[in-house]
Amino acid sequence: MTPTSVAHRPLRLGMNIDHVATVRNARGSAWPDPLRAALLAEAAGADGITAHLREDRRHIRDGDIDALMAAISIPLNFECAATADMQALALRYKPHAVCLVPEKREERTTEGGLDVASDETRLAEFIAPLRAAGARVSMFISHDPRQIEASARIGAAVVELHTGLYSELLADGHVEPAQRELAALRRGAQLAHAAGLEVHAGHGLTYENVGPIVAIPEVVELNIGHFLIGEAIFRGLGPAIEEMRRRMDEVRK
Ligand code: PXP
């Protein structure tokens, strides 16, 4: 595959609505409704909706995916673990994209990237039917070249580079280690692009730390959730998303 030119590539914003469901589930009620959040996000300029159906259904539930597939007009990025159950659901829902993530029951959020390099044969077989069904398969990985090269070899269309460590280091005031992590993310994006992979990024992104990630020219999509859902408490979801878009556009203009 020939990599496309990186010049003037638009940067998409995928809005992750998982934590609307987290709040709903905290009370076992019907609100706030993740579908309503998705429709608001769409109206506010999000380019896609991301939802992670976890094995323990701690936030998004199967019915949410049904509702999203039926009602949104922007692409759905279905995040899941590489299990047989999730493969069957992805084949039933037929979302635009399937993003494979590592999943541990005890974790609070997706910690670390998927180890594609150690599980190459199984993951190649796992994604084959998804690819055949027309899904853009994405691997949520670290910037480690071994993971990027393995993702390319198994035929993934996309890699989403995990920005969680970069975000945490900056939040903790470790500026130099954060710069080194950023440099590694930049090299990872270049390597992935050169290997013909579309490059996405996400995890832990906020208004304060998003700029340097936006400035990586190979990155064509950001997936952002927790910060924007939190910010929505103060400004409303639409304005929170619009401000993120404004910051993204400012760096890319
Ligand atoms: N991308 C992936 C693959 C994720 O698992 C998550 C977290 O669910 C995100 C992006 C969004 O991270 P955050 O909620 O920290 O913005």
Side-chain angles (χ1 to χ4, degrees), residues 36-213:
R36 186 173 167 198
L39 294 172
L40 258 173
E42 192 176 325
D47 302 287
I49 300 297
T50 294
H52 183 179
L53 188 67
R54 279 182 168 268
E55 188 197 11
D56 62 10
R57 308 299 197 268
R58 71 173 70 156
H59 38 57
I60 294 294
R61 297 175 181 151
D62 304 52
D64 295 321
I65 303 290
D66 284 319
L68 289 165
M69 284 302 296
I72 61 173
S73 336
I74 50 179
L76 178 70
N77 177 26
F78 177 72
E79 256 186 46
C80 63
T83 65
D85 285 354
M86 288 298 157
Q87 187 193 53
L89 286 170
L91 290 170
R92 178 156 74 76
Y93 294 131
K94 297 199 179 359
H96 167 81
V98 177
C99 178
L100 297 182
V101 301
E103 204 175 287
K104 294 190 223 95
R105 266 180 190 266
E106 64 276 15
E107 71 190 356
R108 275 188 294 178
T109 182
T110 313
E111 293 164 4
L114 193 64
D115 188 355
V116 185
S118 302
D119 206 8
E120 215 175 303
T121 309
R122 185 185 78 90
L123 286 172
E125 284 168 13
F126 184 89
I127 70 171
L130 299 172
R131 294 173 62 200
R136 286 185 72 67
V137 177
S138 166
M139 300 283 142
F140 186 46
I141 56 170
S142 76
H143 48 64
D144 180 345
R146 290 180 318 124
Q147 302 300 344
I148 294 166
E149 284 156 8
S151 299
R153 275 195 301 272
I154 67 170
V158 180
V159 286
E160 181 169 332
L161 298 180
H162 198 314
T163 53
L165 179 58
Y166 156 76
S167 306
E168 266 173 41
L169 288 168
L170 264 190
D172 293 342
H174 303 308
V175 176
E176 278 180 26
Q179 292 304 330
R180 284 197 291 275
E181 180 64 12
L182 182 62
L185 284 163
R186 269 196 218 107
R187 287 193 298 275
Q190 283 165 5
L191 178 64
H193 177 73
L197 291 156
E198 186 172 298
V199 185
H200 300 180
H203 212 282
L205 296 176
T206 69
Y207 294 152
E208 299 307 318
N209 67 23
V210 78
I213 302 296

